[in-house]
Amino acid sequence: MDFAAKRLWFFLISVVVILPGLVFLLPPIDGLKAGIDFTGGSAITLQFADKVKQENLRAQLATLGHPDALVQSLGEDSFFIRTKELDQATKDRIVEGTELALSPNGVDVLSFDLVAPVVARETVTAALWAVLAASVGIFLYIWWAFRSVPSPFRYGVAAIIALVHDTSIVIGIFAILGEVADMEVNTMFLIALLTVIGYSVNDTIVVFDRLRENVLLYPGRSLRDVVNLSISETIGRSLNTSLTLIFTLLALILFGGQTIKTFLLVLLIGVVAGTYSSIAVASQVLVAWEHGDFGRFFRRILPFRSRARA
């Protein structure tokens, strides 16, 4: 199959998928809803004398006016609860309400802490630095690893473009979900996003590694033909690996706990985007670069902008 011949369609599909999410990220919509991990809030650890199910505790917190509370089981009828910032009176009402409805034999408050917004901002900053460091490291490694083929610099750039493509899709979809479904992003979102970056690069490297082998094996062939051959040889492995992971993630989303659903949803979107980008973005960027597609595109845009200014 001539995948390279369809590269403009692949790029168009990516733009159509990414663009709505970017629109939802812009003011006045600003759809990416920051959770209490980023805005600050309160954290309570409760231990119940009676047996309490996590879903019952979550329902009781919603009844008490905290439907956004995140509940995590710590075992032995202990739960870690994160919610918006609480004063002492509100915290006491939560303890009394859960005790009355779920544990008449008593509730012990093991800890009650406030998460300041400044700590949340430090978390975001650290995550951004981590993404930047990972991107630079990935670029330098691929540039070095593919030094035996012509223009190894392009392989590093193509991998980063695929990485940005996948993360843009994930962030854009969550911006849309934040607006239409009031879904928040938290530290689990950041952890999952870093995992998606790793998966995206791994899937891209599978195709690139076969491409490197074929470039050296068939030096007389054009890059376009070698890309088509490499994708054909790796597409079965990529799809089988991705489908296995997708089915596992779907099962966890359907039957797993509420606490990890954001993490799983990010992974699910990222796996689909990463599988697509390794075939339809990263490799096609190399072909488009080789054929001068980007140069022709910018030459068409620049005269148009010049005429518009005139």
Side-chain angles (χ1 to χ4, degrees):
M1 183 176 176
D2 193 354
F3 295 95
K6 301 174 176 60
R7 60 185 181 276
L8 296 181
W9 287 105
F10 289 143
F11 295 156
L12 181 61
I13 291 172
S14 296
V15 170
V16 169
V17 173
I18 293 173
L19 193 57
L22 294 180
V23 171
F24 273 80
L25 284 170
L26 298 174
I29 300 177
D30 196 17
L32 207 58
K33 305 291 185 183
I36 59 172
D37 291 348
F38 301 146
T39 60
S42 296
I44 316 174
T45 303
L46 300 179
Q47 184 167 24
F48 296 90
D50 299 314
K51 292 290 182 181
V52 175
K53 293 183 178 180
Q54 186 172 343
E55 56 269 25
N56 293 340
L57 176 57
R58 187 177 292 111
Q60 180 60 24
L61 289 171
T63 302
L64 294 171
H66 303 279
D68 59 339
L70 300 177
V71 181
Q72 183 177 358
S73 176
L74 302 178
E76 298 181 356
D77 299 308
S78 297
F79 295 90
F80 177 74
I81 302 169
R82 289 181 296 176
T83 185
K84 60 187 178 182
E85 189 169 337
L86 307 174
D87 55 27
Q88 187 65 37
T90 306
K91 187 265 291 185
D92 292 339
R93 283 196 295 270
I94 289 177
V95 175
E96 293 170 1
T98 53
E99 180 178 4
L100 182 63
L102 302 175
S103 183
N105 290 319
V107 176
D108 291 329
V109 180
L110 301 183
S111 66
F112 175 56
D113 302 301
L114 297 178
V115 180
V118 64
V119 176
R121 287 195 295 270
E122 290 176 357
T123 302
V124 177
T125 303
L128 292 176
W129 278 113
V131 172
L132 180 60
S135 301
V136 172
I138 289 165
F139 170 76
L140 293 176
Y141 170 75
I142 294 177
W143 190 359
W144 176 83
F146 286 81
R147 64 192 182 281
S148 59
V149 299
S151 304
F153 173 82
R154 296 182 180 182
Y155 289 81
V157 173
I160 297 301
I161 290 174
L163 184 153
V164 172
H165 169 275
D166 298 343
T167 54
S168 296
I169 288 177
V170 172
I171 293 173
I173 289 177
F174 266 79
I176 295 173
L177 292 175
E179 183 65 23
V180 302
D182 204 29
M183 182 172 288
E184 296 181 343
V185 297
N186 48 32
T187 51
M188 293 296 287
F189 174 84
L190 289 179
I191 295 170
L193 198 60
L194 291 172
T195 307
V196 166
I197 289 173
Y199 182 86
S200 172
V201 173
N202 177 72
D203 217 21
T204 300
I205 289 295
V206 169
V207 179
F208 277 8
D209 194 52
R210 183 56 59 89
L211 178 58
R212 175 177 57 181
E213 294 176 2
N214 288 332
V215 165
L216 299 176
L217 190 62
Y218 306 106
R221 290 192 180 187
S222 67
L223 180 63
R224 171 173 171 167
D225 292 338
V226 176
V227 165
N228 287 330
L229 175 63
S230 302
I231 293 175
S232 299
E233 291 176 345
T234 57
I235 190 171
R237 173 187 170 181
S238 295
L239 291 178
N240 288 337
T241 303
S242 298
L243 286 174
T244 302
L245 184 54
I246 287 171
F247 290 142
T248 304
L249 292 172
L250 286 173
L252 288 171
I253 289 174
L254 292 174
F255 304 108
Q258 183 70 27
T259 307
I260 60 171
K261 279 195 173 180
T262 299
F263 179 82
L264 296 173
L265 185 57
V266 173
L267 287 185
L268 180 61
I269 298 169
V271 167
V272 175
T275 304
Y276 175 81
S277 67
S278 64
I279 298 169
V281 177
S283 302
Q284 307 310 326
V285 165
L286 294 175
V287 178
W289 202 333
E290 180 75 14
H291 285 255
D293 294 349
F294 299 129
R296 285 193 296 271
F297 174 77
F298 286 113
R299 282 195 295 270
R300 290 176 182 176
I301 294 295
L302 291 176
F304 175 79
R305 293 180 64 182
S306 299
R307 291 195 300 268
R309 290 175 181 175

